[in-house]
Amino acid sequence: MEPLVLPPTVFSALALSLLLLFLTPAAAWRPWPRLVESNASIDPLVGDSKKFEGSSEFVHLKYHMGPVLTTNISVHIIWYGSWQRNQKKIIREFINSISAGGSKSPSVSGWWKTVQLYTDQTGNNISSTVRLGEEKNDRFYSHGKSLTRLSIQSVIKSAVTAKSRPLPVNARNGLYLLLTADDVYVENFCGQVCGFHYFTFPSIVGYTLPYAWVGNSEKLCPGICAYPFAVPSYMPGVKAMKSPNGDVGVDGMISVIAHEVAELASNPLVNAWYAGPDPIAPVEIADLCEGIYGTGGGGSYTGQLMDGHDGATYNMNGIRRRYLVQWVWNHVVNYCTGPNALDQ
């Protein structure tokens, strides 16, 4: 694209700049929930089930007629900064676990079945197949160690337009996952967000592509973005839980990645499944279940979890590893659900 050749393009660039002043990417997410009083309700279909975590008659999740990802989903990863080999393995194995059969119950693939319940306007469900796509390493911090929301899109542009092994461009079923290392700061990281998703602008990237950013918080704010594997200073006396894969920052990232992938699948262009009247700040299927990981979860309580023989805390199994992943909203029964619910 030649953005300065034609007046309409100049206008588009100016409009984009103004838009970015006011626009917040969808699903800016923190794993520590807002401490609000629960509005619990009883669903007549299941009586007084213990699975009413997050349920409320005030939640009105609606479908706004936009696309969802109904064909096989490929997750393309951009590794920004310095990453250890084992850190990459933990994240790769999580993504490959999403649609893997044969994992021990409760499983990551069981968690994805709730996401699959969401459909497009033709009645087609979100795909049951999620696979690891292509990967791109940016180990030399090509856009610096402090990124804005705008420069995040520039990083993605560099990955899909690289002269050597560019990431494939697939707007129909490709998700682009930008993961920043523990020494990279992103605008509003730690203070307001641990991750977010949106879509790229053609005026910057050349394509409209659904993407998410998630940061490794281990050095910057583990108590905020890697809770409960680290505890914030304002919670004296609370003991951090042992992470299931021995890496506080990456184990904390897993639930944020899951959160964003679920919402990218159900709301890739921010015009499909969300609650609330404002598409600029939608409340999506994972937002509704922030901080809920097990039965009884809500408020400041994660819910009932599992402890391994090694003392690590988790709530579901992958192909070879264990993970702690937040639940997502089930619009069929109108409450948060997960594969480790005690009365399933």
Side-chain angles (χ1 to χ4, degrees), residues 17 109 157 168 200 290 302:
S17 299
S109 58
K157 177 184 178 179
T200 61
E290 283 185 12
T302 58

PDB file of all heavy atoms in Angstrom, residues 17 109 157 168 200 290 302:
ATOM      1  N   SER A  17      -5.899   7.489  13.178  1.00  0.00           N
ATOM      2  CA  SER A  17      -5.186   8.117  14.285  1.00  0.00           C
ATOM      3  C   SER A  17      -6.142   8.661  15.330  1.00  0.00           C
ATOM      4  O   SER A  17      -5.936   8.512  16.529  1.00  0.00           O
ATOM      5  CB  SER A  17      -4.301   9.254  13.745  1.00  0.00           C
ATOM      6  OG  SER A  17      -3.355   8.756  12.836  1.00  0.00           O
ATOM      7  N   SER A 109      -9.269 -29.885  26.302  1.00  0.00           N
ATOM      8  CA  SER A 109     -10.225 -30.083  25.206  1.00  0.00           C
ATOM      9  C   SER A 109     -11.663 -30.078  25.714  1.00  0.00           C
ATOM     10  O   SER A 109     -12.582 -29.633  25.016  1.00  0.00           O
ATOM     11  CB  SER A 109      -9.925 -31.389  24.465  1.00  0.00           C
ATOM     12  OG  SER A 109      -9.972 -32.492  25.335  1.00  0.00           O
ATOM     13  N   LYS A 157       2.785  -6.738  11.418  1.00  0.00           N
ATOM     14  CA  LYS A 157       3.093  -6.446  10.013  1.00  0.00           C
ATOM     15  C   LYS A 157       4.471  -6.988   9.645  1.00  0.00           C
ATOM     16  O   LYS A 157       4.648  -7.600   8.583  1.00  0.00           O
ATOM     17  CB  LYS A 157       3.031  -4.951   9.755  1.00  0.00           C
ATOM     18  CG  LYS A 157       3.414  -4.582   8.316  1.00  0.00           C
ATOM     19  CD  LYS A 157       3.444  -3.080   8.096  1.00  0.00           C
ATOM     20  CE  LYS A 157       3.865  -2.748   6.664  1.00  0.00           C
ATOM     21  NZ  LYS A 157       3.887  -1.286   6.428  1.00  0.00           N
ATOM     22  N   PRO A 168       2.004 -16.936   7.425  1.00  0.00           N
ATOM     23  CA  PRO A 168       0.958 -16.948   6.386  1.00  0.00           C
ATOM     24  C   PRO A 168      -0.167 -15.979   6.736  1.00  0.00           C
ATOM     25  O   PRO A 168      -0.446 -15.744   7.915  1.00  0.00           O
ATOM     26  CB  PRO A 168       0.461 -18.395   6.400  1.00  0.00           C
ATOM     27  CG  PRO A 168       0.791 -18.905   7.770  1.00  0.00           C
ATOM     28  CD  PRO A 168       2.066 -18.214   8.157  1.00  0.00           C
ATOM     29  N   THR A 200      -6.278  -6.341  13.172  1.00  0.00           N
ATOM     30  CA  THR A 200      -5.338  -5.386  12.590  1.00  0.00           C
ATOM     31  C   THR A 200      -6.034  -4.488  11.577  1.00  0.00           C
ATOM     32  O   THR A 200      -7.049  -4.862  10.978  1.00  0.00           O
ATOM     33  CB  THR A 200      -4.177  -6.110  11.894  1.00  0.00           C
ATOM     34  OG1 THR A 200      -4.696  -6.916  10.825  1.00  0.00           O
ATOM     35  CG2 THR A 200      -3.411  -6.985  12.869  1.00  0.00           C
ATOM     36  N   GLU A 290     -14.135 -13.930  34.690  1.00  0.00           N
ATOM     37  CA  GLU A 290     -12.817 -13.566  35.200  1.00  0.00           C
ATOM     38  C   GLU A 290     -12.599 -14.089  36.608  1.00  0.00           C
ATOM     39  O   GLU A 290     -13.434 -13.927  37.490  1.00  0.00           O
ATOM     40  CB  GLU A 290     -12.663 -12.039  35.218  1.00  0.00           C
ATOM     41  CG  GLU A 290     -12.393 -11.422  33.874  1.00  0.00           C
ATOM     42  CD  GLU A 290     -12.127  -9.926  33.983  1.00  0.00           C
ATOM     43  OE1 GLU A 290     -11.930  -9.449  35.117  1.00  0.00           O
ATOM     44  OE2 GLU A 290     -12.127  -9.247  32.948  1.00  0.00           O
ATOM     45  N   THR A 302     -10.875 -18.330  43.758  1.00  0.00           N
ATOM     46  CA  THR A 302     -10.678 -18.971  42.457  1.00  0.00           C
ATOM     47  C   THR A 302     -11.624 -20.135  42.211  1.00  0.00           C
ATOM     48  O   THR A 302     -11.857 -20.516  41.067  1.00  0.00           O
ATOM     49  CB  THR A 302      -9.238 -19.501  42.330  1.00  0.00           C
ATOM     50  OG1 THR A 302      -8.990 -20.433  43.392  1.00  0.00           O
ATOM     51  CG2 THR A 302      -8.228 -18.380  42.381  1.00  0.00           C
TER      52      THR A 302
END
